[in-house]
Amino acid sequence: MIRRRDFVARLAGAGALALAPRSARAAVWPARPIGVVVPYPPGGSTDITARIVGERLSVALGQPLVIDNRSGAGGNLGMEVVARAAPDGYTLGIATTAHAINMTLFRKLNYDTLKSFAPVALLTENPLVLVVPEAAPWRDVRALIAAAKEKPGAFNYASSGVGQSTHLAAELFAAMAGIKLTHIPYRGSAPAITDVIAGRVDLMFDTTQSVLSHVEGGRVRALGITSAERLPRANDIPTIREAALPDYVAIAWNGLMAPRGTPSDTVRRLNAEIVRALQEPGIVAKFEALGATTRPLSTEGFGAYIADEIAKWGSVVKQSGATLD
């Protein structure tokens, strides 16, 4: 039986909690599982990234992170779900390079990558690799550029689809090199790289996760990588910057977002835990094995990163003439 004195004390405590500032009551977050929307199918690079980081965050936060794959419309369907979700810290989403590109590529979107979300943290950067058939005559990037200048429009390139990073990385390359290439879009990376291997297509920019095994197996030849620095897993592949175009960088990235209006203390705690995780040797090693690198940024730094990516790829989309409904 509760004595009257104890009852009064408990009642007073409950009243103090009810009158406490919202920020104090929010400190109990997370009190239940957190959903993470991945706007692509299971098994892809974005899904793998989400699961690696999600497993580590589950331990740090004391609550499971539940992956929810919502693919479709170039990654738009999943991010629409996040944009409409309650800003309470229990629904997060993985944004990618596509969500910077889509701001210009699509005539109409049901979200705004800058205005609909609170940037949480950049997770990984995944460069692309410029590859050609093993039997191709070009041994380096300069030789390819020289050949393309001699025969404008004669050489074609494959991509995993209109508006994808594999498409626009090639468009950016062509513009900066002053050459004209013919685009052949495919429905996905697998059929595209298959035709490159067979010699039916002259070249392709493909993600490291998709193409490095083919490079290492001698099925295609890598001429350059699109990152600012060489990749630890493939240190023998020069960057396109050092090989021919000093200002060329094209990265496929993954980052964590929350609905706009999510409490700032929740966003900052998520960022702090992710930044800590991305510096752990075990996490770094997992991503390096996949051909990706980690780059811890503050929430503000990630927001500026996204804005820069939208501006950069917006210019490339307009120059390419690509558009989708």
Side-chain angles (χ1 to χ4, degrees), residues 124-145:
T124 60
E125 292 184 313
N126 193 337
L128 291 85
V129 185
L130 168 55
V131 296
V132 299
E134 185 58 32
W138 315 297
R139 295 285 169 179
D140 56 47
V141 176
R142 288 188 181 278
L144 171 61
I145 293 174

Side-chain angles (χ1 to χ4, degrees), residues 294-318:
T294 58
R295 184 180 173 191
L297 291 176
S298 66
T299 56
E300 295 81 5
F302 183 38
Y305 182 99
I306 294 170
D308 288 345
E309 285 285 287
I310 289 172
K312 172 181 177 175
W313 292 116
S315 297
V316 179
V317 170
K318 291 175 182 176

Side-chain angles (χ1 to χ4, degrees), residues 1-17:
M1 180 179 296
I2 301 175
R3 291 179 297 178
R4 183 176 182 280
R5 183 175 60 186
D6 293 337
F7 175 77
V8 171
R10 292 185 187 185
L11 185 62
L17 179 61

Side-chain angles (χ1 to χ4, degrees), residues 258-277:
R260 178 66 67 182
T262 299
S264 59
D265 53 348
T266 298
V267 172
R268 293 190 181 283
R269 183 178 176 195
L270 281 165
N271 176 270
E273 296 293 355
I274 290 170
V275 166
R276 188 176 297 113

Side-chain angles (χ1 to χ4, degrees), residues 35-69:
V36 180
V37 176
V38 174
Y40 300 100
S45 60
T46 301
D47 180 70
I48 293 170
T49 296
R51 292 177 189 278
I52 290 174
V53 174
E55 182 179 358
R56 180 63 185 81
L57 278 181
S58 293
V59 175
L61 298 175
Q63 291 288 346
L65 270 72
V66 181
I67 303 299
D68 182 8
N69 296 94

